[in-house]
Amino acid sequence: MIRHVVMFTYRADATAAQIEAIPRGLSRLPGLIPQIRRYEYGAGINPGNKDFVVVADFDSNADFVTYRDHPDHQAFIAECITPAVAERVAVQYLIS
């Protein structure tokens, strides 16, 4: 199984509406991309750390790539993530 973890820091000028659109958009993706096995996300709670995190599990690297490149995922990134996010950090790793 592959785990994908991505963390965001919002832009200083990100609006409340932009920030609120992120979890709404993420909530749609599991219904659109059947390769997602587990999907969790939430706002950070410690000041000075990242603002938001997404954790997703996939059966294989090929399933992760399908998710990564999926048109609905790419549209979500363009519409919601890019306008609101200053920094993105991600890692994918094999769950043993």
Side-chain angles (χ1 to χ4, degrees), residues 1-4 58-61 91-96:
M1 186 163 284
I2 301 296
R3 178 157 293 157
H4 167 64
F58 304 90
D59 288 336
S60 67
N61 192 58
V91 65
Q92 298 78 39
Y93 61 94
L94 182 63
I95 299 172
S96 9

Side-chain angles (χ1 to χ4, degrees), residues 2-72:
I2 301 296
R3 178 157 293 157
H4 167 64
V5 179
V6 61
M7 296 178 287
F8 305 120
T9 301
Y10 297 129
R11 295 170 45 123
D13 63 349
T15 66
Q18 288 173 316
I19 291 168
E20 291 164 4
I22 291 174
R24 274 197 317 273
L26 288 170
S27 71
R28 296 178 51 239
L29 294 179
L32 299 170
I33 307 171
Q35 289 80 6
I36 298 170
R37 291 290 164 247
R38 178 174 164 254
Y39 210 58
E40 297 180 351
Y41 49 86
I45 58 172
N46 251 351
N49 288 338
K50 298 297 181 192
D51 295 317
F52 200 86
V53 65
V54 179
V55 178
D57 291 345
F58 304 90
D59 288 336
S60 67
N61 192 58
D63 285 351
F64 164 70
V65 170
T66 297
Y67 160 80
R68 183 194 68 195
D69 297 342
H70 194 281
D72 291 311

